[in-house]
Amino acid sequence: MSIVAISGSNRPDSYNLNLIKYYQQHHIDEIQIQILDIDDLPMFKIVKDSDTPSKVRYINDCVRDADGIMIATTEINHSIPSNIKNVIDWLSMQPGLLKNKPTLLMGASTGPLGTVRAQMHLREILATPAINGKVTHNTECFITNADDNFDDNNHVTSQKTIDVLENLYSEFIEIINERF
C-alpha cells in the first residue's frame, strides 16, 4: 500500500515526524510511506488550474495516487499549524481528491492535553463538504507529555503509546481495505 504522510513539524527531532517514522519502521513490509514536505508551499490562493504552483501539483498527484494519508499534527494556539491548513486548502481545490480518502490522524505534544484541540479542528476541516475525508475515529491518538514517550533517539518507548499507535494503524488499514 502507498501512503502519503504530512507532519505539522518537519524538524528532524519532531515528535510528530517520529510518529510517522514509527510506522515506516514497524510496518515496512506492509506499507510504503512517502513523507511530503509541506513547509515551503506557497500560501493558498484561488488560481486557475494552469496557474497552480508545481509543488502543489506534485502534492496533488502524490495524494491522488496514494491509498491513504497520515497526518501528524502539532497543536499551535489550540489549533492546527498553518502548514497543515495550507496544504489541505490547496488539496481541496481539486474536486473529489480527498473525498473518502482514508486518513489517519495523530499527534504528540509536550503538554498535558496532547493535540486534542488541534485534532478536533482538523476533523471539522476534513468533514467539510468540499473535502469529506474518511477519517479514523475509533482510536484517537493524542500523545501527551511527549518527552516522556520517546527516548533520546526519538523512538517511541511507552507501551501504552505503542498500543494506541497499533490500534490506530489497524483501523486505518481497515478503512483502506473498505475502499477496494
Side-chain angles (χ1 to χ4, degrees):
M1 277 182 223
S2 173
I3 307 299
V4 294
I6 60 174
S7 172
S9 174
N10 285 325
R11 67 176 208 277
D13 61 344
S14 160
Y15 294 124
N16 288 287
L17 188 58
N18 286 313
L19 290 175
I20 295 168
K21 290 178 180 178
Y22 170 87
Y23 288 122
Q24 281 182 318
Q25 295 165 357
H26 290 86
H27 295 283
I28 193 167
D29 295 332
E30 302 159 38
I31 58 175
Q32 178 184 1
I33 299 174
Q34 176 186 9
I35 300 173
L36 299 176
D37 181 6
I38 61 170
D39 288 342
D40 62 351
L41 285 181
M43 287 304 295
F44 172 75
K45 63 181 174 184
I46 296 177
V47 297
K48 293 187 252 180
D49 278 345
S50 60
D51 294 333
T52 300
S54 60
K55 176 88 183 219
V56 172
R57 284 195 305 273
Y58 171 76
I59 288 178
N60 286 345
D61 291 343
C62 290
V63 170
R64 182 177 296 105
D65 295 342
D67 297 310
I69 304 169
M70 287 183 174
I71 301 175
T73 186
T74 57
E75 183 167 302
I76 308 294
N77 297 321
H78 297 187
S79 191
I80 61 174
S82 59
N83 61 351
I84 289 179
K85 178 68 166 93
N86 191 42
V87 73
I88 291 172
D89 287 344
W90 278 114
L91 291 169
S92 72
M93 291 296 101
Q94 295 298 310
L97 182 62
L98 295 173
K99 184 176 183 173
N100 294 319
K101 181 69 84 170
T103 305
L104 179 151
L105 297 185
M106 60 186 162
S109 169
T110 56
L113 293 177
T115 59
V116 67
R117 293 169 292 213
Q119 288 190 49
M120 285 174 34
H121 288 168
L122 191 50
R123 285 179 188 284
E124 285 182 53
I125 293 165
L126 294 171
T128 62
I131 298 173
N132 201 20
K134 181 79 171 166
V135 180
T136 52
H137 64 275
N138 291 333
T139 305
E140 295 181 315
C141 182
F142 311 119
I143 298 173
T144 63
N145 305 310
D147 42 355
D148 296 334
N149 287 286
F150 293 83
D151 64 18
D152 292 338
N153 296 317
N154 298 316
H155 295 112
V156 179
T157 57
S158 163
Q159 187 58 50
K160 182 179 175 184
T161 300
I162 291 169
D163 292 344
V164 168
L165 289 170
E166 289 304 316
N167 288 337
L168 184 61
Y169 176 79
S170 295
E171 180 184 353
F172 182 52
I173 296 303
E174 187 176 304
I175 291 171
I176 291 172
N177 288 333
E178 288 173 359
R179 284 188 81 194
F180 300 108

mmCIF file of all heavy atoms in Angstrom, residues 73-81 84 105-107 113-125 142:
data_model
loop_
_atom_site.group_PDB
_atom_site.id
_atom_site.type_symbol
_atom_site.label_atom_id
_atom_site.label_comp_id
_atom_site.label_asym_id
_atom_site.label_seq_id
_atom_site.Cartn_x
_atom_site.Cartn_y
_atom_site.Cartn_z
ATOM 1 N N THR A 73 -0.210 15.952 13.576
ATOM 2 C CA THR A 73 -0.305 17.394 13.816
ATOM 3 C C THR A 73 0.232 17.797 15.167
ATOM 4 O O THR A 73 0.056 17.101 16.159
ATOM 5 C CB THR A 73 -1.765 17.882 13.664
ATOM 6 O OG1 THR A 73 -1.774 19.310 13.761
ATOM 7 C CG2 THR A 73 -2.682 17.293 14.707
ATOM 8 N N THR A 74 0.880 18.913 15.159
ATOM 9 C CA THR A 74 1.221 19.588 16.401
ATOM 10 C C THR A 74 -0.008 20.405 16.796
ATOM 11 O O THR A 74 -1.000 20.431 16.066
ATOM 12 C CB THR A 74 2.416 20.535 16.197
ATOM 13 O OG1 THR A 74 2.088 21.466 15.164
ATOM 14 C CG2 THR A 74 3.655 19.779 15.805
ATOM 15 N N GLU A 75 0.072 21.075 17.937
ATOM 16 C CA GLU A 75 -1.001 21.981 18.325
ATOM 17 C C GLU A 75 -0.398 23.348 18.592
ATOM 18 O O GLU A 75 0.495 23.485 19.424
ATOM 19 C CB GLU A 75 -1.734 21.474 19.570
ATOM 20 C CG GLU A 75 -2.902 22.365 19.946
ATOM 21 C CD GLU A 75 -3.825 21.723 20.964
ATOM 22 O OE1 GLU A 75 -4.354 20.633 20.690
ATOM 23 O OE2 GLU A 75 -4.000 22.333 22.027
ATOM 24 N N ILE A 76 -0.879 24.325 17.851
ATOM 25 C CA ILE A 76 -0.421 25.698 17.996
ATOM 26 C C ILE A 76 -1.631 26.551 18.375
ATOM 27 O O ILE A 76 -2.602 26.607 17.621
ATOM 28 C CB ILE A 76 0.198 26.231 16.677
ATOM 29 C CG1 ILE A 76 1.270 25.280 16.126
ATOM 30 C CG2 ILE A 76 0.726 27.654 16.867
ATOM 31 C CD1 ILE A 76 2.514 25.144 16.961
ATOM 32 N N ASN A 77 -1.585 27.186 19.526
ATOM 33 C CA ASN A 77 -2.693 28.051 19.971
ATOM 34 C C ASN A 77 -4.043 27.341 19.876
ATOM 35 O O ASN A 77 -5.020 27.891 19.356
ATOM 36 C CB ASN A 77 -2.707 29.364 19.181
ATOM 37 C CG ASN A 77 -1.457 30.175 19.424
ATOM 38 O OD1 ASN A 77 -0.959 30.224 20.549
ATOM 39 N ND2 ASN A 77 -0.937 30.786 18.387
ATOM 40 N N HIS A 78 -4.087 26.108 20.348
ATOM 41 C CA HIS A 78 -5.309 25.303 20.411
ATOM 42 C C HIS A 78 -5.847 24.903 19.039
ATOM 43 O O HIS A 78 -7.027 24.582 18.903
ATOM 44 C CB HIS A 78 -6.415 26.007 21.199
ATOM 45 C CG HIS A 78 -6.066 26.229 22.627
ATOM 46 N ND1 HIS A 78 -6.983 26.714 23.526
ATOM 47 C CD2 HIS A 78 -4.940 26.049 23.337
ATOM 48 C CE1 HIS A 78 -6.418 26.825 24.714
ATOM 49 N NE2 HIS A 78 -5.179 26.424 24.612
ATOM 50 N N SER A 79 -4.996 24.893 18.016
ATOM 51 C CA SER A 79 -5.448 24.514 16.679
ATOM 52 C C SER A 79 -4.302 23.885 15.906
ATOM 53 O O SER A 79 -3.227 23.650 16.446
ATOM 54 C CB SER A 79 -5.987 25.757 15.944
ATOM 55 O OG SER A 79 -6.650 25.364 14.754
ATOM 56 N N ILE A 80 -4.566 23.620 14.627
ATOM 57 C CA ILE A 80 -3.551 23.010 13.777
ATOM 58 C C ILE A 80 -2.560 24.070 13.303
ATOM 59 O O ILE A 80 -2.892 25.251 13.246
ATOM 60 C CB ILE A 80 -4.190 22.288 12.563
ATOM 61 C CG1 ILE A 80 -4.965 23.249 11.668
ATOM 62 C CG2 ILE A 80 -5.060 21.148 13.035
ATOM 63 C CD1 ILE A 80 -5.503 22.636 10.390
ATOM 64 N N PRO A 81 -1.347 23.657 12.959
ATOM 65 C CA PRO A 81 -0.385 24.618 12.444
ATOM 66 C C PRO A 81 -0.767 25.066 11.027
ATOM 67 O O PRO A 81 -1.470 24.365 10.301
ATOM 68 C CB PRO A 81 0.933 23.848 12.449
ATOM 69 C CG PRO A 81 0.554 22.421 12.434
ATOM 70 C CD PRO A 81 -0.782 22.316 13.095
ATOM 71 N N ILE A 84 -0.314 22.734 7.797
ATOM 72 C CA ILE A 84 -1.315 21.693 7.542
ATOM 73 C C ILE A 84 -2.579 22.313 6.954
ATOM 74 O O ILE A 84 -3.134 21.792 5.984
ATOM 75 C CB ILE A 84 -1.622 20.881 8.820
ATOM 76 C CG1 ILE A 84 -0.413 20.001 9.162
ATOM 77 C CG2 ILE A 84 -2.874 20.024 8.629
ATOM 78 C CD1 ILE A 84 -0.568 19.168 10.413
ATOM 79 N N LEU A 105 -5.331 10.207 11.652
ATOM 80 C CA LEU A 105 -4.953 11.394 12.415
ATOM 81 C C LEU A 105 -4.241 10.990 13.694
ATOM 82 O O LEU A 105 -4.655 10.047 14.372
ATOM 83 C CB LEU A 105 -6.184 12.219 12.797
ATOM 84 C CG LEU A 105 -7.010 12.820 11.684
ATOM 85 C CD1 LEU A 105 -8.105 13.697 12.275
ATOM 86 C CD2 LEU A 105 -6.164 13.604 10.725
ATOM 87 N N MET A 106 -3.193 11.727 14.007
ATOM 88 C CA MET A 106 -2.467 11.500 15.255
ATOM 89 C C MET A 106 -1.718 12.777 15.599
ATOM 90 O O MET A 106 -1.608 13.683 14.774
ATOM 91 C CB MET A 106 -1.501 10.328 15.115
ATOM 92 C CG MET A 106 -0.448 10.494 14.053
ATOM 93 S SD MET A 106 0.523 8.989 13.855
ATOM 94 C CE MET A 106 1.246 9.306 12.254
ATOM 95 N N GLY A 107 -1.213 12.831 16.810
ATOM 96 C CA GLY A 107 -0.440 13.985 17.198
ATOM 97 C C GLY A 107 0.203 13.807 18.554
ATOM 98 O O GLY A 107 -0.268 13.036 19.383
ATOM 99 N N LEU A 113 -2.522 17.985 27.473
ATOM 100 C CA LEU A 113 -3.688 17.618 26.660
ATOM 101 C C LEU A 113 -3.300 17.076 25.286
ATOM 102 O O LEU A 113 -4.177 16.783 24.471
ATOM 103 C CB LEU A 113 -4.624 18.825 26.488
ATOM 104 C CG LEU A 113 -5.313 19.304 27.753
ATOM 105 C CD1 LEU A 113 -6.147 20.538 27.461
ATOM 106 C CD2 LEU A 113 -6.164 18.209 28.364
ATOM 107 N N GLY A 114 -2.018 16.974 25.017
ATOM 108 C CA GLY A 114 -1.597 16.467 23.718
ATOM 109 C C GLY A 114 -2.071 17.387 22.610
ATOM 110 O O GLY A 114 -1.948 18.605 22.710
ATOM 111 N N THR A 115 -2.679 16.817 21.601
ATOM 112 C CA THR A 115 -3.147 17.593 20.454
ATOM 113 C C THR A 115 -4.652 17.459 20.277
ATOM 114 O O THR A 115 -5.165 17.518 19.169
ATOM 115 C CB THR A 115 -2.422 17.149 19.173
ATOM 116 O OG1 THR A 115 -2.672 15.761 18.957
ATOM 117 C CG2 THR A 115 -0.928 17.393 19.267
ATOM 118 N N VAL A 116 -5.354 17.299 21.371
ATOM 119 C CA VAL A 116 -6.794 17.048 21.309
ATOM 120 C C VAL A 116 -7.551 18.173 20.602
ATOM 121 O O VAL A 116 -8.420 17.920 19.771
ATOM 122 C CB VAL A 116 -7.376 16.741 22.705
ATOM 123 C CG1 VAL A 116 -7.331 17.940 23.619
ATOM 124 C CG2 VAL A 116 -8.778 16.204 22.609
ATOM 125 N N ARG A 117 -7.229 19.409 20.899
ATOM 126 C CA ARG A 117 -7.959 20.524 20.275
ATOM 127 C C ARG A 117 -7.591 20.670 18.810
ATOM 128 O O ARG A 117 -8.458 20.931 17.963
ATOM 129 C CB ARG A 117 -7.718 21.812 21.048
ATOM 130 C CG ARG A 117 -8.339 21.760 22.448
ATOM 131 C CD ARG A 117 -7.881 22.886 23.299
ATOM 132 N NE ARG A 117 -6.450 22.709 23.577
ATOM 133 C CZ ARG A 117 -5.850 23.069 24.694
ATOM 134 N NH1 ARG A 117 -6.525 23.665 25.634
ATOM 135 N NH2 ARG A 117 -4.571 22.871 24.870
ATOM 136 N N ALA A 118 -6.332 20.492 18.488
ATOM 137 C CA ALA A 118 -5.904 20.565 17.084
ATOM 138 C C ALA A 118 -6.601 19.481 16.267
ATOM 139 O O ALA A 118 -7.079 19.736 15.155
ATOM 140 C CB ALA A 118 -4.389 20.414 16.985
ATOM 141 N N GLN A 119 -6.669 18.281 16.812
ATOM 142 C CA GLN A 119 -7.314 17.203 16.066
ATOM 143 C C GLN A 119 -8.821 17.425 15.945
ATOM 144 O O GLN A 119 -9.412 17.039 14.927
ATOM 145 C CB GLN A 119 -7.004 15.854 16.700
ATOM 146 C CG GLN A 119 -5.553 15.442 16.446
ATOM 147 C CD GLN A 119 -5.289 14.021 16.837
ATOM 148 O OE1 GLN A 119 -6.037 13.125 16.468
ATOM 149 N NE2 GLN A 119 -4.212 13.800 17.582
ATOM 150 N N MET A 120 -9.438 18.044 16.926
ATOM 151 C CA MET A 120 -10.857 18.368 16.799
ATOM 152 C C MET A 120 -11.068 19.330 15.629
ATOM 153 O O MET A 120 -11.972 19.141 14.811
ATOM 154 C CB MET A 120 -11.391 18.982 18.096
ATOM 155 C CG MET A 120 -11.591 17.965 19.201
ATOM 156 S SD MET A 120 -12.055 18.652 20.824
ATOM 157 C CE MET A 120 -13.040 20.049 20.463
ATOM 158 N N HIS A 121 -10.219 20.344 15.518
ATOM 159 C CA HIS A 121 -10.321 21.287 14.405
ATOM 160 C C HIS A 121 -10.040 20.593 13.081
ATOM 161 O O HIS A 121 -10.728 20.842 12.086
ATOM 162 C CB HIS A 121 -9.361 22.453 14.596
ATOM 163 C CG HIS A 121 -9.780 23.394 15.665
ATOM 164 N ND1 HIS A 121 -8.957 24.360 16.165
ATOM 165 C CD2 HIS A 121 -10.952 23.538 16.335
ATOM 166 C CE1 HIS A 121 -9.585 25.047 17.101
ATOM 167 N NE2 HIS A 121 -10.798 24.556 17.220
ATOM 168 N N LEU A 122 -9.053 19.733 13.083
ATOM 169 C CA LEU A 122 -8.699 19.017 11.854
ATOM 170 C C LEU A 122 -9.841 18.118 11.394
ATOM 171 O O LEU A 122 -10.154 18.051 10.201
ATOM 172 C CB LEU A 122 -7.416 18.214 12.090
ATOM 173 C CG LEU A 122 -6.735 17.601 10.886
ATOM 174 C CD1 LEU A 122 -6.541 18.603 9.763
ATOM 175 C CD2 LEU A 122 -5.393 17.019 11.311
ATOM 176 N N ARG A 123 -10.501 17.464 12.331
ATOM 177 C CA ARG A 123 -11.660 16.632 11.976
ATOM 178 C C ARG A 123 -12.777 17.488 11.363
ATOM 179 O O ARG A 123 -13.411 17.074 10.396
ATOM 180 C CB ARG A 123 -12.190 15.900 13.210
ATOM 181 C CG ARG A 123 -11.330 14.758 13.635
ATOM 182 C CD ARG A 123 -11.862 14.068 14.889
ATOM 183 N NE ARG A 123 -10.896 13.112 15.341
ATOM 184 C CZ ARG A 123 -10.673 11.938 14.783
ATOM 185 N NH1 ARG A 123 -11.375 11.562 13.746
ATOM 186 N NH2 ARG A 123 -9.755 11.128 15.257
ATOM 187 N N GLU A 124 -13.006 18.665 11.928
ATOM 188 C CA GLU A 124 -14.030 19.564 11.367
ATOM 189 C C GLU A 124 -13.685 19.958 9.938
ATOM 190 O O GLU A 124 -14.541 19.960 9.057
ATOM 191 C CB GLU A 124 -14.152 20.829 12.220
ATOM 192 C CG GLU A 124 -14.873 20.651 13.524
ATOM 193 C CD GLU A 124 -14.977 21.966 14.277
ATOM 194 O OE1 GLU A 124 -15.448 22.955 13.686
ATOM 195 O OE2 GLU A 124 -14.568 21.992 15.452
ATOM 196 N N ILE A 125 -12.431 20.294 9.710
ATOM 197 C CA ILE A 125 -11.993 20.698 8.371
ATOM 198 C C ILE A 125 -12.157 19.546 7.386
ATOM 199 O O ILE A 125 -12.689 19.726 6.287
ATOM 200 C CB ILE A 125 -10.525 21.174 8.411
ATOM 201 C CG1 ILE A 125 -10.412 22.464 9.227
ATOM 202 C CG2 ILE A 125 -9.963 21.357 6.999
ATOM 203 C CD1 ILE A 125 -8.999 22.822 9.626
ATOM 204 N N PHE A 142 -3.764 11.051 20.943
ATOM 205 C CA PHE A 142 -3.383 12.355 21.476
ATOM 206 C C PHE A 142 -2.242 12.128 22.462
ATOM 207 O O PHE A 142 -2.484 11.993 23.656
ATOM 208 C CB PHE A 142 -4.533 13.011 22.242
ATOM 209 C CG PHE A 142 -5.854 13.036 21.530
ATOM 210 C CD1 PHE A 142 -6.956 12.400 22.079
ATOM 211 C CD2 PHE A 142 -6.003 13.703 20.337
ATOM 212 C CE1 PHE A 142 -8.184 12.445 21.458
ATOM 213 C CE2 PHE A 142 -7.230 13.758 19.695
ATOM 214 C CZ PHE A 142 -8.326 13.122 20.259
#
